Amino acid sequence: MGFFDGFDSGHGAAEGTSGNEKYVVLQVVLTEAFFGTGSGVSSLTNLQDVINEQADKGYRLHTISTTSSGSKGFLGGDKIQATMVFERLDLYNGK
């Protein structure tokens, strides 16, 4: 475990979600390698975990949008924010 391991672990959800919404909006912060460039494997694993967690709850990924910080500052470490909209399958099918 390094000093920067915890920088990649966060994701957020819209406030007021009761678990019965037709749509759920989540954000995940993806980071590139802190030194230099390259895909952060833990970022992709975090993204996959969030998607699978929602699938287990009966939601499917409806839309995903990304925004990059574009930071090429000290030691690299670009951040990409992924905003995802999940749609509940049982409500979508009219149940």
Side-chain angles (χ1 to χ4, degrees), residues 7 21 30-31 45 59 67 71 83 87:
F7 280 69
E21 291 80 11
L30 309 171
T31 56
T45 301
Y59 290 87
T67 304
S71 172
T83 302
E87 182 175 38

Side-chain angles (χ1 to χ4, degrees), residues 55-95:
D56 289 343
K57 294 177 182 179
Y59 290 87
R60 71 173 177 170
L61 181 61
H62 180 278
T63 306
I64 187 168
S65 173
T66 59
T67 304
S68 175
S69 68
S71 172
K72 295 289 183 190
F74 181 69
L75 300 176
D78 287 354
K79 292 189 183 225
I80 299 170
Q81 180 176 318
T83 302
M84 297 171 286
V85 178
F86 292 89
E87 182 175 38
R88 194 157 146 196
L89 293 175
D90 60 350
L91 293 177
Y92 177 75
N93 292 327
K95 295 181 182 176

Side-chain angles (χ1 to χ4, degrees), residues 1-13 27-32 40-50 53 79-80:
M1 298 280 303
F3 175 75
F4 297 103
D5 289 347
F7 280 69
D8 189 45
S9 59
H11 69 274
Q27 292 180 332
V28 177
V29 176
L30 309 171
T31 56
E32 286 193 6
V41 174
S42 61
S43 289
L44 297 177
T45 301
N46 189 23
L47 181 63
Q48 181 175 314
D49 289 346
V50 169
E53 179 181 317
K79 292 189 183 225
I80 299 170

